[in-house]
Amino acid sequence: MTVKDLAYAPTLDADQHPTLYHYCSTSTFLSIIQRKCLWLSDVNTMNDFGEVHWAYDRFIEAANAVLDQVGRDFVELVDEVISTSRLRLLPMLCAFSTDGDVLSQWRAYADDGSGVAIGFDAKKVGTLSIRIAPIEYSREKQVEHFRTWLLAAHEVHTDVPEKEKKKFLFEMGTFFSMDMAFYKNPAFSEEKEVRILRALDARVNDQGQWTLTDNGGSGERVSKKKLPVHFRAARNGGVVSYIELPLSGLGAEAITEIVVGPKSSNSGNEISMALNAAGFRNVRISAVHCHI
């Protein structure tokens, strides 16, 4: 069993959910199709301000449940490794939904219903140099995943040669800390969220300053290249880090549908013209059924 085998790594069934919808304002939609990229932003800026801590709390629940089986020393060791990994790796995320007409999504992400939901081909998105997975909302399943993972990790760790334990623990902590980004509070289950994730290296340089670096990936040829890290101002006056993930390698049919928001003044013709001008083909334009 390898470190990757121990990772939760939920998988998206693209046959069951062939379209992934990204809710956004009209201006963001135009930026995406014209620049042919998606913004992946710091996990700490997501809509659920407690989500960074939610998964960790479920880990603690699971750890307490298996404490007698794996021992306090192992749990504390794993806890330390996870904490170190979360300092050294910063998950950058972009959110989608498997549903193109969700009232809360329109209100929160699509300019209160005046924007659109961009429907991407799920299989094509899955080829990008990212990690993609549906969100697990069930608290019981989250705890059970962590419980099973801890038991398996303890068994493997016991058999790892002493000189390789440090490397094993570091790799394990890296995957484990990334897995935590795919757990959310069940209060958000209506969103039916699917996330794409790419991790940046966070380091302190010789001058004692924090730096963020993208090291590239191993997926689709364009998106796997090392990407520059950008920063933008947040509404609350903060600074948000993000990367622009290129979509140009996915071809002219990466977008399959545009759902026009319930408060949008667009008839669909303008959107169709913008898509064609940007080089996207065979995109279906549809209207929503919910009302705001």
Side-chain angles (χ1 to χ4, degrees), residues 266-276 285:
N266 285 304
S267 65
N269 294 335
E270 303 93 334
I271 290 176
S272 180
M273 288 187 285
L275 286 163
N276 278 303
I285 312 295

Side-chain angles (χ1 to χ4, degrees), residues 3 78 80-86 89 149 167-180:
V3 171
V78 172
E80 181 182 354
V81 170
I82 291 172
S83 298
T84 301
S85 296
R86 292 173 71 180
L89 291 170
W149 187 92
K167 178 183 178 182
F168 169 80
L169 286 171
F170 175 76
E171 292 180 351
M172 179 182 69
T174 299
F175 280 99
F176 197 83
S177 59
M178 293 302 100
D179 283 345
M180 288 185 169

Side-chain angles (χ1 to χ4, degrees), residues 17-281:
H17 301 292
T19 307
L20 298 178
Y21 298 92
H22 181 66
Y23 290 77
C24 61
S25 66
T26 303
S27 61
T28 298
F29 157 70
L30 291 173
S31 175
I32 289 172
I33 65 171
Q34 290 167 0
R35 294 177 62 83
K36 294 181 176 60
C37 68
L38 286 169
W39 283 15
L40 275 63
S41 301
D42 179 350
V43 64
N44 297 296
T45 64
M46 296 296 102
N47 65 317
D48 175 10
F49 298 108
E51 76 169 76
V52 180
H53 309 289
W54 174 266
Y56 180 76
D57 290 343
R58 306 293 75 75
F59 160 70
I60 294 300
E61 280 188 52
N64 287 330
V66 299
L67 196 61
D68 292 341
Q69 295 164 272
V70 303
R72 184 173 298 278
D73 288 346
F74 180 74
V75 169
E76 290 180 351
L77 188 59
V78 172
D79 190 21
E80 181 182 354
V81 170
I82 291 172
S83 298
T84 301
S85 296
R86 292 173 71 180
L87 284 175
R88 294 186 61 180
L89 291 170
L90 180 63
M92 309 297 282
L93 307 175
C94 183
F96 301 82
S97 174
T98 57
D99 191 332
D101 192 5
V102 180
L103 182 58
S104 60
Q105 294 275 55
W106 288 120
R107 285 176 167 163
Y109 307 111
D111 198 14
D112 195 31
S114 297
V116 301
I118 308 173
F120 288 92
D121 183 312
K123 289 184 178 179
K124 290 183 181 293
V125 172
T127 67
L128 292 169
S129 187
I130 43 87
R131 189 170 180 184
I132 183 170
I135 295 297
E136 176 59 71
Y137 294 103
S138 168
R139 179 171 181 161
E140 292 74 18
K141 288 183 179 180
Q142 292 169 3
V143 174
E144 179 59 22
H145 283 311
F146 283 141
R147 190 191 71 80
T148 303
W149 187 92
L150 279 166
L151 291 173
H154 178 260
E155 181 179 348
V156 174
H157 179 259
T158 301
D159 295 332
V160 172
E162 194 64 35
K163 64 179 181 180
E164 296 179 16
K165 285 187 184 295
K166 185 176 181 179
K167 178 183 178 182
F168 169 80
L169 286 171
F170 175 76
E171 292 180 351
M172 179 182 69
T174 299
F175 280 99
F176 197 83
S177 59
M178 293 302 100
D179 283 345
M180 288 185 169
F182 298 107
Y183 293 151
K184 287 187 69 171
N185 190 312
F188 292 88
S189 61
E190 182 191 47
E191 294 181 349
K192 302 175 184 177
E193 185 179 350
V194 172
R195 283 181 171 176
I196 61 174
L197 178 154
R198 183 151 159 166
L200 301 186
D201 275 347
R203 308 272 177 168
V204 178
N205 62 20
D206 295 338
Q207 289 75 45
Q209 299 172 316
W210 280 97
T211 63
L212 281 176
T213 306
D214 175 62
N215 291 323
S218 57
E220 182 274 326
R221 61 181 180 83
V222 178
S223 61
K224 73 178 182 180
K225 297 177 181 179
K226 294 182 180 181
L227 303 174
V229 181
H230 304 285
F231 298 88
R232 68 178 188 274
R235 292 179 181 177
N236 62 1
V239 176
V240 179
S241 56
Y242 70 96
I243 56 175
E244 295 183 329
L245 183 72
L247 302 173
S248 54
L250 301 186
E253 297 185 347
I255 295 175
T256 61
E257 181 182 10
I258 299 295
V259 185
V260 181
K263 293 172 67 175
S264 174
S265 60
N266 285 304
S267 65
N269 294 335
E270 303 93 334
I271 290 176
S272 180
M273 288 187 285
L275 286 163
N276 278 303
F280 291 96
R281 300 290 181 263

